[in-house]
Amino acid sequence: MRFGKTLRNSVYPPWSGKYIDYHKLKVLLREQDVTGEDASDSDGLSWTEQDEEAFVQELINVQLDKVNAFQVEMSQRLKERTSACEAKLRPLVPNPEQEEPVTEEEKRKAIASEVLQELDGIAKEVTELEKYSRINFTGFLKAVKKHDRKRGPRYRVKPLLQVRLSQLPFNTEDYSPLVHRLSVIYSFARQVLSEGVPESEEVTAESRFGHDAYSSYKFWIHADNILEVKTHILRRLPALIYNTRYPKDPATMPEDPAITSIYFDNPQFDLYNQKVARAPGAGSLRLRWTGQLQDKPPIFLEKKIATDDDRSRVVKVELKEKHVKEFLQGDYKLDKIVHRMQDMGEVESAHAESLKNDVDELHSFIKEFNLQPMLRANYTRTAFQIPGDDRIRISLDTNLALIREDSLDPERPCRDESEWHRAEIDKAGMKYPFSTIRTGEIVRFPHALLEIKLRGSAHNAEWVKDLMVSHLVKEAPRFSKFLHGIAQLFEDYVNSLPFWLSELDNDIRRDPETAFHEERERLAQRAEENMAVGSFMGTMGSPSIRPAMGTTTAIFAEAASPSSTRRYSQAVQARPQATIPAPPPPGADDTAASSEAEDNAAPPSSRLKSLFPSFMRNGRRGHRDSVVLPSGVRHPGVWIKDAGPVRVETKVWLANQRTFIKWLHISILLASLSLGLYNAAGKHNDIARALATVYTFFALFAAAWGWYMYEKRARLIRQRSGRDLDNLVGPILLLLHKATFSSTHTTMTAFDIQIVSDTVCPWCYVGFRRLSRAITTHRSQYPTDTFRLTWRAFYLNRESPPFPGQDKHEMYRAKFGAERTAAMGARLAVVGEGEGIKFRFGGRTGRTRDSHRLIWWAGEKQKIDSSSSTTESKAESKAEEPSIQTLVVQNLFRAYFEEEKNITDRSVLLEAAVEAGLPADEVEALLDSDRGGVQVDAEAERARQRLVSGVPYFTVQGRYAIEGANEPETFLEVFERIKSEDAA
């Protein structure tokens, strides 16, 4: 189903004009939804800067702002409506401060009934608002993906959209506090309506059921914080050992096991869509085992169904590997196990009947939805729990890899349709990071996953609460490996995406101080909300008030939950807290009150004191000097500590001199860097010259600052001053320089890329286009980087005939067969269209040795021209235009694959060379001779000896090899890795 139709079906009628105008965005993008044709190609109009600006303005500044404004408005309106319901119910609450509470039963029930109807409307709109946020969020991602795929070579909007989405709350707002308020009001209103109605024993028993059920909390953990989280947990809980047969020597303890789960769904992804929409009764099915499959571990088939009370019901059976396929097909029903259990007595007979029902339920579930393996999740799990005490259960999953397990593409299936799993992964015993899995079939989750399950009294564990609100974790409610994997790997198959995708590119690490204040504000907000609804729960006493540090919000400790109160009070005790001055009694001296106020205002200045001790000390000195001496006492003129000759230890003078020498060292280093950078920049590199000027300023400043501080400190030492010798100005400016240097010193990397290819290889043409896109994207971020491409020869078919060659279709059919040839041509046409290549497979083909000789000679010609040119012109040509050799290769690719010209025809070779800028007479002389033949034959032989079995084959900096026509992201990852290594 197209997303446009999905969007129209998801519109909530009262809000019909507030959704994203997806059709208008497609019109601006020139894509017709009905025919699916590219309008920019059909009508002959090119995509201009004005078109791009119009699309971006409509997407970011119109549609996104419209959706966000409506979501914020509706959220605020729902909160106000909830507050209005609270106000209507407040007269029904017994309150000593209220003079005339409503006591008439009929009137009380009428008010409660009216509020219940209003609450039903609020609850419905809260649900619709969440759906509204999700469908619009998906629409923005779909529109940007369509734009980047269509206009991606020159324009990319996804990074800009991700930045804007991270700043707007419409797709990340947590509705849990509002739902909590609604729940309390619902409970009170129903309690009013049920007054006088006796409660049955069945209802009473049902209300107690599930009292000790687990509460689950999920979090993301940044890789930098994993060890700290582990140690924090290990202080309270031991880590579980999965293998009980481990050695007694602690040094040989087994590693945490790798757990594999295979999730099932159908080609329409019905289970995924139900789970994303949180539909009632949404189910999931998975196979799970621990360790490597070749070790024959027990395999569990689990079905999980969401119940109406926001919990889940699990149906699970244990299978052996040899029975999994038969069970999934419905041929194996555990009959032997069932019969054996039935023969063991009444108790086991009941268990056998339960097992039989579970098997039938699983079979019917698989058959009903036509389920098949779709996704594999592999992760390393560390579990923490006290043996024999399951009140607190914590699991930490790291190295999470999500891998496609489907066979949706018949031409390139990820899994053999006759198998229930990818045998090549399990037979080879692959482990994380699964480097041999093809790009596009695997997603590696960047964070660790923490899940905390609490039961009973464990909800009051202070250390667990501290962990859940600390800066070490980021809350990730309702996160699912299944949903995340499907959304990332099957994005083209689904029209609804989970809300957390936009947060993946954000840095989830938080400053501890910031996390503390955020928790303080959250608790203050919760206390206010609890105060508003607390009267309905019988907690409307006279709450004690504690001021929140740094804010004017008062926290109502008695209205808040006990756990939040304890956590809050514990956090407050860890920091200095200001006190509220009591009002002065009548007739008290104004001076005394003022003095008391100044004393109470003192703590805020302690932070200034810690940052600027000399400033605070100077302020106190001014106050001290204004002291009036009593009569008969005169000022001594000099302090006792300053009397007598100056006696200073030698190490004090040496420390001052050593600091001065350090500053001189920094100055000389910066000056050398500035001089070298300026000489290497040339007259056309304005960025490097500007940086050299900045570094010169810092060098002069470092020398002047070092001399100034040396003289100042020497004077203070001689004067025996008690003032602080530190000064933050110089180091701060030096840090600014370091930040500038760190952000720019890696922008001058010279990349050397060798490409082994054949001029009749279509994937070499595709790989070159993708490499060019990667280079363009990289240069947009690092404009001073240079790239040198060197082409090496490779013969796909050494026995190809010389001129005039042979017909392409005959060669392809003889080599691959007619059916495979048609499939390959169709696939290349689709891939080529995405790269701007219009593949045509007519014409003739043959031996490519002469074309490789021409490419080799173009490279030699380029070396001669480069050696005779200046440094500036050489750097400029490298940075702004392709080399002559690359132009020749590009012209040959276009002539052979798009213009159906004969690669063995010397006139075609001459035309490609002349178009690249080579002299025609020299090219003709080259083609008439055998010059370069020995060299290209040697290149092809060296490639064969290096075990290069397929082309294209890229070698970057002589360190990293990339085989095949990979996506631009692969090249960009290698470029970034090289820059980080060079920086280190």
Side-chain angles (χ1 to χ4, degrees), residues 59-116:
L59 178 73
I60 302 298
N61 296 335
V62 178
Q63 298 297 329
L64 186 57
D65 288 346
K66 177 183 72 174
V67 171
N68 178 69
F70 179 76
Q71 189 275 338
V72 172
E73 177 187 356
M74 284 304 304
S75 178
Q76 183 62 31
R77 190 181 302 173
L78 290 173
K79 293 177 182 178
E80 292 174 356
R81 291 171 61 185
T82 304
S83 300
C85 291
E86 296 170 354
K88 290 180 180 179
L89 291 178
R90 201 173 304 279
L92 308 184
V93 181
N95 190 345
E97 299 177 1
Q98 185 174 321
E99 296 180 0
E100 297 180 359
V102 178
T103 57
E104 298 179 8
E105 183 176 354
E106 294 182 359
K107 190 173 182 180
R108 290 170 60 87
K109 291 186 176 182
I111 295 175
S113 299
E114 180 184 355
V115 170
L116 273 181

Side-chain angles (χ1 to χ4, degrees), residues 229-412:
V229 171
K230 280 187 176 181
T231 55
H232 182 86
I233 299 173
L234 284 172
R235 293 191 185 102
R236 284 87 179 179
L237 295 180
L240 289 180
I241 304 298
Y242 284 81
N243 186 2
T244 58
R245 296 174 294 181
Y246 63 89
K248 295 183 178 180
D249 183 8
T252 58
M253 281 288 214
E255 297 180 352
D256 293 326
I259 298 179
T260 303
S261 297
I262 294 182
Y263 294 93
F264 289 71
D265 209 333
N266 55 29
Q268 293 76 34
F269 293 93
D270 291 334
L271 300 187
Y272 168 85
N273 291 325
Q274 292 177 9
K275 198 170 180 66
V276 170
R278 304 184 67 188
S284 62
L285 185 72
R286 70 174 179 179
L287 285 167
R288 179 177 57 85
W289 68 87
T290 302
Q292 295 292 338
L293 193 60
Q294 58 193 3
D295 297 333
K296 298 182 178 180
I299 302 176
F300 297 94
L301 180 63
E302 301 175 348
K303 171 192 173 185
K304 182 180 291 186
I305 298 294
T307 58
D308 295 336
D309 57 353
D310 204 18
R311 301 188 183 277
S312 60
R313 182 176 64 88
V314 180
V315 178
K316 179 169 64 174
V317 296
E318 181 178 346
L319 300 170
K320 294 183 179 179
E321 180 185 358
K322 61 182 180 180
H323 296 146
V324 173
K325 183 177 179 181
E326 298 176 358
F327 189 94
L328 296 177
Q329 294 174 348
D331 300 332
Y332 180 68
K333 299 184 178 181
L334 282 76
D335 292 334
K336 292 183 179 180
I337 299 177
V338 172
H339 293 325
R340 189 182 308 119
M341 294 174 66
Q342 289 175 344
D343 297 338
M344 295 177 65
E346 295 182 0
V347 177
E348 292 298 329
S349 178
H351 293 168
E353 188 65 24
S354 176
L355 177 60
K356 184 178 179 181
N357 294 335
D358 290 346
V359 171
D360 293 340
E361 182 178 350
L362 290 172
H363 280 156
S364 61
F365 187 63
I366 296 173
K367 184 177 181 180
E368 177 185 358
F369 287 94
N370 187 26
L371 300 180
Q372 54 184 278
M374 283 290 177
L375 177 72
R376 174 189 294 249
N378 184 276
Y379 50 92
T380 301
R381 168 160 291 185
T382 305
F384 305 89
Q385 179 183 329
I386 297 177
D389 184 357
D390 62 350
R391 291 176 301 169
I392 302 178
R393 297 170 57 186
I394 299 179
S395 62
L396 180 63
D397 297 340
T398 55
N399 297 337
L400 172 59
L402 301 165
I403 305 172
R404 289 184 61 163
E405 199 84 8
D406 65 286
S407 57
L408 298 178
D409 186 357
E411 297 181 359
R412 193 180 181 183

Side-chain angles (χ1 to χ4, degrees), residues 945-958:
Q945 293 177 357
R946 291 170 54 195
L947 302 179
V948 177
S949 58
V951 287
Y953 190 91
F954 305 86
T955 305
V956 186
Q957 304 297 80

Side-chain angles (χ1 to χ4, degrees), residues 126-176:
V126 169
T127 303
E128 293 297 336
L129 188 59
E130 184 183 23
K131 295 179 181 179
Y132 170 90
S133 301
R134 183 170 61 247
I135 195 66
N136 281 284
F137 169 67
T138 304
F140 285 113
L141 294 185
K142 291 282 186 180
V144 166
K145 180 183 178 183
K146 194 179 291 291
H147 170 276
D148 289 356
R149 183 168 53 192
K150 192 175 183 63
R151 311 298 177 190
R154 293 184 59 190
Y155 309 96
R156 297 189 69 85
V157 183
K158 186 175 182 180
L160 176 61
L161 178 68
Q162 289 176 338
V163 172
R164 290 283 288 144
L165 286 176
S166 65
Q167 299 171 350
L168 302 178
F170 88 89
N171 67 311
T172 57
E173 182 169 350
D174 186 11
Y175 299 97
S176 299

Side-chain angles (χ1 to χ4, degrees), residues 741-749 782 784-785 979-980 982-983:
F741 180 72
S742 298
S743 62
T744 57
H745 82 288
T746 59
T747 60
M748 299 182 64
T749 302
Y782 305 100
T784 58
D785 279 0
K979 292 185 73 65
S980 62
D982 293 344

